[in-house]
Amino acid sequence: MKLMILKDQLNDAIQQVSKAASSRPAIPILGGIKIDVTHHGITLTASDTDISIQSFIETESGDKVNARIDKPGSVVLPAKFIVEIVKKLPADEVEIEVGDNFQTKIRSGSSDIQMVGLDPEEFPVLPSIDENESFSVPGDLLKSMIRQTSFAASTSEQTPILTGVLWNLMEEQFKFVATDRHRLASRNSHVETSSGYRFSNIVISSKTLVELSKVVPDNQSLVDIVVTDNQVLFKLGHVLFYSRLLEGTYPDTSKIIPQVFKTELVLDTKKLMDAIDRAYLMSREEKTNIVRLITLENGVIEISSSSAELGRVTEHLDASDLQGDPLRVAFNSKYMLDCLKVIDSEKIFIGFNGAMSPIIIKPTDHAHSLHIILPYRTTG
């Protein structure tokens, strides 16, 4: 195998696929990036068996020559090293030549690097996916839906299904739900599908979705999504992103969402977030993260936290609207901050049904997202 390729094209493709390479591979081949070279172009692939990413570089795009192929072939190179070395090469072009026993030479400008390659025949085969049915989502919408839900997924492997985000597509309503049993985040959006395409109980690892969001373009370019029984494929131009689905049945969370409330609040999102952020500094020192919210007279709410060693923080905010019973509630300030940071609305609605009932948080200007936080039982 021998080729000359533009450094920026090679670097971009390596950065995209390297997210799927295992950092602590059980076998060395899973820590590598497979490079396949034909006269049509160069295909780079990385896989840790849970996720696989593939990127294709055309030899020519328009009038631009991206690569010159002298001899087709394949090799697997260690991702950890190739990711760092390619972006630091001194010239705009990179020559790669693979000799006997996959010994690889990389030349660029004054640099001459020799690497020990691995046999591409040992590299895992990508999943075979039937692409007859698919649907498309704008990249910026997909990134937003991931950002607004993935943080609420569990990080504990004791319940693997809760480390994922639940996907449902029904009647052109695309919905994400994530919960760790202490909080919940959901986001839905209208998407256009053909012939009533639908699915339910598809669960994808939240870590995988965070990695996916790093390669999804931050614009309205469409991402094609293909869902099968155990795999999902995302097609983004010249990049293919495969993910294994989590096995199991996601719990039904719809029953825990109340429709009426004893106390209703409307608050400025940023002012509330800033006040809780300041209170969080004190609660963090106490290692409890507990912040208290009390409704006062004349539409004022009090936010406070305390530390036995440091003291107390108290904030007062004017509510845009306050109706219903007086309330005194305690909650995890980090959970509240996590949800306020992803709400894209100037004002939020908060609904309560008492100090030990779930706290419901929603934007006021649309019904696309909803957050739930369970309160704390405190003695103070």
Side-chain angles (χ1 to χ4, degrees), residues 11-185:
N11 184 55
D12 286 350
I14 286 174
Q15 296 298 326
Q16 288 167 336
V17 304
S18 64
K19 295 173 177 61
S22 177
S23 57
R24 296 178 181 173
I27 54 176
I29 202 80
L30 295 180
I33 293 175
K34 183 184 179 188
I35 303 174
D36 291 301
V37 177
T38 69
H39 288 294
H40 298 293
I42 301 95
T43 303
L44 285 80
T45 311
S47 176
D48 66 0
T49 68
D50 284 336
I51 68 170
S52 304
I53 306 177
Q54 190 171 82
S55 182
F56 180 70
I57 304 169
E58 296 175 308
T59 51
E60 296 181 12
S61 50
D63 297 332
K64 184 180 180 181
V65 177
N66 297 317
R68 298 188 299 277
I69 312 301
D70 290 337
K71 186 179 179 183
S74 300
V75 70
V76 177
L77 299 177
K80 193 173 182 180
F81 186 73
I82 198 75
V83 164
E84 292 300 320
I85 198 65
V86 168
K87 65 184 177 184
K88 294 177 180 178
L89 290 173
D92 293 336
E93 290 189 332
V94 181
E95 182 185 341
I96 304 175
E97 183 175 6
V98 179
D100 295 338
N101 298 317
F102 306 105
Q103 293 293 317
T104 303
K105 294 180 180 179
I106 299 174
R107 304 183 188 94
S108 178
S110 58
S111 293
D112 192 332
I113 299 153
Q114 298 194 29
M115 297 181 67
V116 178
L118 299 172
D119 186 350
E121 292 297 320
E122 297 177 8
F123 199 81
V125 178
L126 289 185
S128 178
I129 287 186
D130 181 358
E131 299 183 27
N132 284 337
E133 285 194 305
S134 66
F135 66 107
S136 300
V137 178
D140 52 359
L141 173 60
L142 181 59
K143 285 174 77 94
S144 176
M145 293 180 74
I146 292 171
R147 182 177 65 89
Q148 292 176 336
T149 54
S150 59
F151 68 89
S154 175
T155 56
S156 170
E157 293 297 335
Q158 290 184 337
T159 316
I161 196 73
L162 293 184
T163 65
V165 178
L166 173 69
W167 286 23
N168 285 305
L169 178 61
M170 297 284 180
E171 298 177 350
E172 299 192 331
Q173 283 298 313
F174 190 31
K175 185 174 183 179
F176 288 16
V177 176
T179 182
D180 62 3
R181 290 204 175 98
H182 301 288
R183 56 179 169 175
L184 178 146

Side-chain angles (χ1 to χ4, degrees), residues 278-308:
R278 288 186 287 268
Y280 167 63
L281 293 176
M282 187 75 74
S283 65
R284 185 182 63 189
E285 290 299 314
E286 195 69 5
K287 295 184 172 59
T288 61
N289 290 341
I290 293 176
V291 165
R292 292 171 175 79
L293 184 151
I294 303 170
T295 57
L296 305 175
E297 295 180 355
N298 302 319
V300 176
I301 66 164
E302 179 181 286
I303 294 164
S304 65
S305 66
S306 59
S307 163

